[in-house]
Coordinates of all heavy atoms in Angstrom, one line a residue:
A328 N 138.7 -6.2 14.9 CA 138.7 -4.8 15.5 C 140.0 -4.4 15.7 O 141.0 -5.1 16.2 CB 138.1 -5.0 17.0
I329 N 140.3 -3.2 15.1 CA 141.7 -2.7 15.1 C 141.7 -1.2 15.7 O 140.8 -0.5 15.5 CB 142.3 -2.7 13.6 CG1 141.5 -1.8 12.7 CG2 142.4 -4.0 13.2 CD1 142.0 -1.6 11.4
M330 N 142.8 -1.0 16.4 CA 143.0 0.4 17.0 C 144.3 0.9 16.6 O 145.4 0.3 16.9 CB 143.0 0.2 18.6 CG 143.4 1.4 19.4 SD 142.1 2.8 19.2 CE 143.3 4.1 19.6
G331 N 144.3 2.1 16.1 CA 145.5 2.8 15.7 C 146.4 2.1 14.8 O 147.7 1.9 14.9
A332 N 145.8 1.5 13.6 CA 146.6 0.8 12.6 C 146.8 1.8 11.5 O 146.4 2.9 11.3 CB 145.8 -0.4 12.1
N333 N 147.8 1.4 10.6 CA 148.0 2.1 9.4 C 148.4 1.2 8.2 O 148.8 0.0 8.5 CB 149.2 3.2 9.6 CG 150.5 2.6 9.9 OD1 150.6 1.7 10.8 ND2 151.6 3.0 9.2
L334 N 148.4 1.8 7.0 CA 148.6 1.0 5.8 C 150.0 1.2 5.3 O 150.6 0.2 4.7 CB 147.6 1.4 4.7 CG 146.1 1.2 5.1 CD1 145.3 1.7 3.8 CD2 145.8 -0.2 5.5
Y335 N 150.5 2.3 5.6 CA 151.9 2.7 5.1 C 152.4 3.9 5.9 O 151.5 4.6 6.5 CB 151.9 2.9 3.5 CG 150.7 3.6 3.0 CD1 150.7 5.1 3.2 CD2 149.8 3.0 2.3 CE1 149.5 5.7 2.8 CE2 148.6 3.7 1.9 CZ 148.5 5.1 2.1 OH 147.5 5.7 1.6
N336 N 153.6 4.2 5.7 CA 154.3 5.3 6.5 C 154.7 6.4 5.5 O 155.7 6.2 4.9 CB 155.4 4.8 7.4 CG 155.9 6.0 8.3 OD1 155.5 7.1 8.1 ND2 156.8 5.6 9.2
D337 N 153.9 7.4 5.3 CA 154.3 8.5 4.5 C 153.7 9.8 5.1 O 153.1 9.8 6.2 CB 154.0 8.4 3.1 CG 152.5 8.3 2.7 OD1 151.8 8.7 3.6 OD2 152.2 7.8 1.6
K338 N 153.8 10.9 4.4 CA 153.4 12.2 4.9 C 151.8 12.3 4.9 O 151.3 13.1 5.6 CB 153.9 13.3 4.0 CG 155.4 13.4 4.0 CD 155.8 14.6 3.1 CE 157.4 14.7 3.1 NZ 157.9 15.9 2.2
T339 N 151.1 11.3 4.2 CA 149.7 11.4 4.2 C 149.0 10.5 5.3 O 147.9 10.6 5.6 CB 149.1 10.9 2.9 OG1 149.4 9.5 2.7 CG2 149.8 11.6 1.7
S340 N 149.9 9.8 6.0 CA 149.4 8.8 7.0 C 149.8 9.1 8.5 O 149.0 9.1 9.3 CB 149.8 7.3 6.6 OG 151.2 7.2 6.5
V341 N 151.1 9.3 8.6 CA 151.7 9.5 9.9 C 152.1 11.0 10.2 O 152.6 11.6 9.3 CB 153.0 8.6 10.2 CG1 153.5 8.8 11.5 CG2 152.6 7.1 9.8
L342 N 151.7 11.4 11.4 CA 152.0 12.8 11.7 C 153.6 13.1 11.6 O 154.3 12.2 12.1 CB 151.6 13.1 13.2 CG 150.1 13.0 13.5 CD1 149.8 13.3 14.9 CD2 149.3 14.0 12.5
P343 N 153.9 14.2 11.1 CA 155.5 14.4 10.9 C 156.3 14.4 12.1 O 157.4 13.9 12.0 CB 155.5 15.7 10.2 CG 154.1 16.4 10.5 CD 153.1 15.4 10.6
E344 N 155.7 14.8 13.3 CA 156.4 14.8 14.5 C 156.7 13.4 15.0 O 157.8 13.1 15.7 CB 155.7 15.7 15.6 CG 154.3 15.2 15.9 CD 153.3 15.9 15.1 OE1 153.5 16.3 14.0 OE2 152.2 16.2 15.7
I345 N 155.8 12.5 14.7 CA 156.1 11.1 15.0 C 157.2 10.5 14.3 O 158.1 9.9 14.9 CB 154.9 10.3 14.8 CG1 153.6 10.9 15.7 CG2 155.0 8.8 15.2 CD1 154.0 10.9 17.1
N346 N 157.4 10.8 13.0 CA 158.4 10.2 12.3 C 159.7 11.0 12.6 O 160.8 10.3 12.5 CB 158.1 10.3 10.7 CG 157.4 9.2 10.2 OD1 157.6 8.1 10.6 ND2 156.4 9.5 9.2
S347 N 159.6 12.2 13.0 CA 160.8 12.9 13.5 C 161.4 12.3 14.7 O 162.6 12.0 14.8 CB 160.4 14.4 13.7 OG 161.6 15.0 14.2
Q348 N 160.5 11.9 15.6 CA 161.0 11.2 16.8 C 161.6 9.8 16.4 O 162.6 9.4 17.1 CB 159.8 11.1 17.8 CG 159.3 12.3 18.4 CD 158.1 12.1 19.2 OE1 157.8 11.0 19.7 NE2 157.3 13.3 19.5
L349 N 160.9 9.2 15.5 CA 161.4 7.8 15.2 C 162.8 7.9 14.5 O 163.7 7.1 14.8 CB 160.5 7.3 14.1 CG 160.9 5.9 13.5 CD1 161.0 4.8 14.6 CD2 159.8 5.4 12.5
R350 N 163.0 8.9 13.7 CA 164.3 9.1 13.1 C 165.4 9.3 14.1 O 166.6 8.9 14.0 CB 164.4 10.3 12.0 CG 163.6 9.9 10.7 CD 163.8 11.0 9.6 NE 163.2 12.2 10.0 CZ 162.0 12.6 9.8 NH1 161.2 11.7 9.0 NH2 161.4 13.7 10.1
K351 N 165.1 10.2 15.1 CA 166.0 10.4 16.2 C 166.3 9.2 16.9 O 167.5 9.0 17.3 CB 165.4 11.5 17.1 CG 165.4 12.9 16.6 CD 164.8 13.8 17.5 CE 164.7 15.3 17.0 NZ 164.0 16.2 17.9
R352 N 165.3 8.3 17.2 CA 165.6 7.1 17.9 C 166.5 6.2 17.1 O 167.4 5.4 17.6 CB 164.3 6.4 18.3 CG 163.5 7.1 19.3 CD 162.2 6.4 19.6 NE 162.4 5.0 20.2 CZ 161.5 4.2 20.4 NH1 160.2 4.4 20.0 NH2 161.7 2.9 20.9
I353 N 166.2 6.1 15.8 CA 167.1 5.2 14.9 C 168.5 5.7 14.9 O 169.5 4.9 15.0 CB 166.4 5.2 13.6 CG1 165.2 4.4 13.5 CG2 167.4 4.6 12.5 CD1 164.4 4.4 12.3
K354 N 168.6 7.1 14.8 CA 170.0 7.6 14.7 C 170.8 7.3 16.0 O 171.9 7.1 16.0 CB 169.9 9.2 14.5 CG 171.2 9.8 14.4 CD 171.0 11.3 14.1 CE 172.4 12.0 13.9 NZ 172.2 13.5 13.5
A355 N 170.0 7.3 17.2 CA 170.6 7.1 18.5 C 171.1 5.6 18.5 O 172.3 5.3 19.1 CB 169.6 7.4 19.6
I356 N 170.3 4.7 18.0 CA 170.7 3.2 18.2 C 171.9 3.0 17.1 O 172.8 2.1 17.5 CB 169.6 2.2 18.0 CG1 169.0 2.4 16.6 CG2 168.5 2.5 19.1 CD1 168.2 1.2 16.1
E357 N 171.8 3.7 16.1 CA 172.9 3.4 15.1 C 174.3 4.0 15.6 O 175.4 3.4 15.4 CB 172.6 4.2 13.8 CG 171.4 3.5 13.0 CD 171.1 4.1 11.7 OE1 171.4 5.4 11.6 OE2 170.5 3.5 10.9
K358 N 174.2 5.1 16.4 CA 175.4 5.6 17.0 C 176.0 4.7 18.0 O 177.2 4.6 18.3 CB 175.0 7.1 17.6 CG 176.2 7.8 18.1 CD 175.8 9.2 18.6 CE 177.0 10.0 19.1 NZ 176.6 11.3 19.5
K359 N 175.0 4.0 18.6 CA 175.5 3.0 19.7 C 175.9 1.6 19.1 O 176.0 0.7 19.8 CB 174.5 2.9 20.7 CG 174.3 4.2 21.6 CD 173.2 4.0 22.6 CE 172.9 5.3 23.4 NZ 171.8 5.2 24.4
N360 N 175.8 1.5 17.7 CA 175.9 0.2 17.2 C 174.9 -0.9 17.6 O 175.3 -2.0 17.7 CB 177.4 -0.3 17.3 CG 178.5 0.6 16.7 OD1 178.3 1.1 15.6 ND2 179.5 0.8 17.5
L361 N 173.6 -0.4 17.8 CA 172.6 -1.3 18.2 C 171.6 -1.6 17.1 O 170.5 -2.1 17.5 CB 171.9 -0.8 19.4 CG 172.8 -0.6 20.7 CD1 172.0 0.1 21.8 CD2 173.3 -2.0 21.1
A362 N 171.9 -1.2 15.9 CA 170.9 -1.3 14.8 C 170.6 -2.7 14.5 O 169.4 -3.0 14.1 CB 171.4 -0.7 13.6
D363 N 171.3 -3.8 14.8 CA 171.0 -5.2 14.6 C 170.4 -5.8 15.7 O 170.1 -7.0 15.6 CB 172.3 -5.9 14.1 CG 172.9 -5.4 12.8 OD1 172.2 -4.9 12.0 OD2 174.1 -5.6 12.6
T364 N 170.2 -5.1 16.8 CA 169.5 -5.7 17.9 C 168.0 -5.9 17.6 O 167.5 -5.2 16.7 CB 169.6 -4.9 19.1 OG1 169.0 -3.6 18.9 CG2 171.1 -4.7 19.5
F365 N 167.3 -6.6 18.3 CA 165.8 -6.7 18.1 C 165.2 -5.3 18.3 O 164.2 -5.0 17.5 CB 165.2 -7.7 19.0 CG 163.8 -8.0 18.8 CD1 163.4 -8.8 17.7 CD2 162.8 -7.5 19.5 CE1 162.2 -9.1 17.4 CE2 161.4 -7.9 19.3 CZ 161.2 -8.6 18.1
E366 N 165.6 -4.6 19.2 CA 164.9 -3.2 19.4 C 165.2 -2.4 18.1 O 164.3 -1.7 17.7 CB 165.6 -2.5 20.6 CG 165.1 -1.0 20.8 CD 165.8 -0.3 21.9 OE1 166.8 -0.9 22.5 OE2 165.6 0.8 22.1
G367 N 166.4 -2.4 17.6 CA 166.7 -1.7 16.4 C 165.9 -2.1 15.2 O 165.4 -1.3 14.5
R368 N 165.8 -3.4 15.1 CA 165.0 -3.9 14.0 C 163.5 -3.6 14.1 O 162.8 -3.4 13.1 CB 165.1 -5.5 13.9 CG 166.5 -5.9 13.4 CD 166.9 -7.3 14.0 NE 166.0 -8.2 13.5 CZ 165.8 -9.4 14.1 NH1 166.4 -9.7 15.4 NH2 165.0 -10.4 13.6
L369 N 163.0 -3.4 15.3 CA 161.7 -3.0 15.5 C 161.4 -1.6 15.0 O 160.4 -1.1 14.5 CB 161.2 -3.1 16.9 CG 160.9 -4.5 17.4 CD1 160.6 -4.5 19.0 CD2 159.8 -5.2 16.7
L370 N 162.4 -0.7 15.2 CA 162.3 0.6 14.8 C 162.4 0.8 13.3 O 161.6 1.6 12.7 CB 163.5 1.5 15.4 CG 163.5 1.6 17.0 CD1 164.8 2.5 17.4 CD2 162.2 2.4 17.4
Y371 N 163.2 0.0 12.7 CA 163.2 0.0 11.2 C 161.8 -0.5 10.6 O 161.4 0.0 9.6 CB 164.4 -1.0 10.7 CG 165.7 -0.3 10.8 CD1 166.7 -1.0 11.6 CD2 166.0 1.0 10.4 CE1 168.0 -0.5 11.8 CE2 167.3 1.4 10.6 CZ 168.3 0.8 11.2 OH 169.5 1.3 11.4
L372 N 161.3 -1.4 11.4 CA 160.0 -2.0 10.9 C 159.0 -0.8 10.9 O 158.2 -0.6 10.0 CB 159.5 -3.1 11.9 CG 158.2 -3.7 11.7 CD1 158.1 -4.5 10.4 CD2 157.7 -4.6 12.8
L373 N 159.0 0.0 12.0 CA 158.0 1.1 12.1 C 158.4 2.2 11.0 O 157.4 2.8 10.4 CB 158.2 1.9 13.5 CG 157.7 1.1 14.7 CD1 158.1 1.9 15.9 CD2 156.2 1.0 14.6
R374 N 159.6 2.3 10.6 CA 159.9 3.2 9.5 C 159.5 2.8 8.2 O 159.0 3.5 7.3 CB 161.4 3.6 9.6 CG 161.9 4.6 8.6 CD 163.4 4.6 8.4 NE 164.0 3.5 7.9 CZ 165.2 3.2 7.7 NH1 166.2 4.1 8.2 NH2 165.7 2.1 7.2
D375 N 159.8 1.5 7.9 CA 159.6 1.0 6.5 C 158.3 0.3 6.3 O 158.1 0.1 5.1 CB 160.9 0.0 6.3 CG 162.2 0.7 6.5 OD1 162.3 2.0 6.2 OD2 163.2 0.0 6.7
E376 N 157.6 -0.1 7.2 CA 156.4 -0.8 6.9 C 155.2 -0.2 7.7 O 155.4 0.7 8.6 CB 156.6 -2.2 7.4 CG 157.5 -3.1 6.5 CD 157.2 -4.5 6.5 OE1 156.1 -4.9 6.8 OE2 158.1 -5.3 6.0
P377 N 154.0 -0.7 7.6 CA 153.6 -1.7 6.5 C 153.6 -1.1 5.2 O 153.8 0.0 4.9 CB 152.2 -2.1 6.9 CG 151.7 -0.8 7.7 CD 152.8 -0.2 8.3

Side-chain angles (χ1 to χ4, degrees):
I329 59 172
M330 168 68 203
N333 64 308
L334 305 179
Y335 40 77
N336 184 353
D337 67 12
K338 294 179 180 180
T339 69
S340 59
V341 182
L342 298 178
E344 56 266 33
I345 299 302
N346 272 326
S347 176
Q348 294 174 19
L349 178 58
R350 287 191 293 270
K351 288 179 181 178
R352 290 180 63 189
I353 290 176
K354 187 175 181 179
I356 64 163
E357 290 177 340
K358 189 175 181 179
K359 296 178 181 179
N360 296 317
L361 297 175
D363 291 333
T364 63
F365 189 72
E366 177 188 2
R368 290 155 58 207
L369 285 177
L370 293 178
Y371 288 125
L372 178 70
L373 290 174
R374 184 191 68 183
D375 301 332
E376 289 210 19

